[in-house]
Amino acid sequence: MSENKFIDKNHARLEDQKQVMEQIDDDGVCPFCEENLAKYHKKEIIEQGDYWLLTENQWPYDNTLNHYLVIYKEHIEHINDLSPEAGRELIELFQLASKKGHIKGGGLTMRFGVPNEDGNYGSTVTHLHAHLIEPDLSAGEKVKFKIGHPNNID
């Protein structure tokens, strides 16, 4: 686990992602908090609601056609801190992304939980965010979404 409690560099997959994570670690900030997002996340913000913002994933998972992120606007790390209204808006933003990307099918995913000395739950960033992923069925491979300790996930 990083010295920066907002990230876990062990989950970074790509070389340029690792470089950005090193900078975030040095800066000691949360990269998904609104005041920091534009410094590290280079994809445009597609839509903003009252609770969430929608963007494309800067480092989409292998074997995807579309990979969107919906990032909570305030810094929280657990779903228990969400209001029912925030949950409704999350689904509405997923629907908007699905229409924008002409997504035929896919999956919705979210990791949550405060990290401890053993690491976090599989995410590079602990700030609550969710994924909409459309797999590339022609790739012949599954999209892998990791949940768990970095030493125990493939």
Side-chain angles (χ1 to χ4, degrees):
M1 179 98 166
S2 169
E3 293 297 315
N4 180 338
K5 67 178 184 172
F6 302 117
I7 62 170
D8 189 334
K9 296 184 296 186
N10 293 313
H11 297 294
R13 298 169 286 109
L14 305 170
E15 201 52 48
D16 62 327
Q17 181 185 24
K18 291 175 184 177
Q19 291 173 3
V20 172
M21 297 296 286
E22 287 294 336
Q23 182 63 56
I24 294 165
D25 195 21
D26 291 346
D27 294 346
V29 298
C30 173
F32 280 0
C33 283
E34 282 192 281
E35 64 271 16
N36 305 318
L37 186 64
K39 180 175 181 179
Y40 309 106
H41 184 74
K42 301 307 177 190
K43 296 289 187 173
E44 73 173 285
I45 304 304
I46 298 166
E47 185 72 36
Q48 289 200 50
D50 293 333
Y51 303 97
W52 302 90
L53 57 86
L54 170 67
T55 185
E56 289 182 58
N57 191 336
Q58 188 164 314
W59 295 288
Y61 294 159
D62 290 341
N63 308 312
T64 61
L65 290 176
N66 284 290
H67 190 166
Y68 292 96
L69 293 180
V70 181
I71 302 169
Y72 201 69
K73 291 170 84 171
E74 292 182 31
H75 185 90
I76 64 171
E77 297 177 3
H78 203 285
I79 61 170
N80 290 346
D81 297 326
L82 291 176
S83 67
E85 296 81 16
R88 178 181 176 88
E89 184 178 278
L90 175 65
I91 296 300
E92 290 170 348
L93 286 173
F94 278 144
Q95 290 172 327
L96 178 70
S98 177
K99 291 174 187 168
K100 177 180 176 26
H102 307 285
I103 294 176
K104 296 177 183 175
L108 307 175
T109 61
M110 178 189 294
R111 300 177 197 94
F112 61 91
V114 179
N116 62 34
E117 63 277 356
D118 293 326
N120 71 20
Y121 297 93
S123 182
T124 52
V125 179
T126 60
H127 184 123
L128 192 67
H129 61 284
H131 303 253
L132 183 151
I133 301 167
E134 179 184 22
D136 180 356
L137 298 178
S138 70
E141 296 287 331
K142 296 177 184 176
V143 175
K144 295 180 181 177
F145 183 81
K146 299 175 180 183
I147 301 175
H149 192 279
N151 295 335
N152 298 324
I153 52 182
D154 297 319

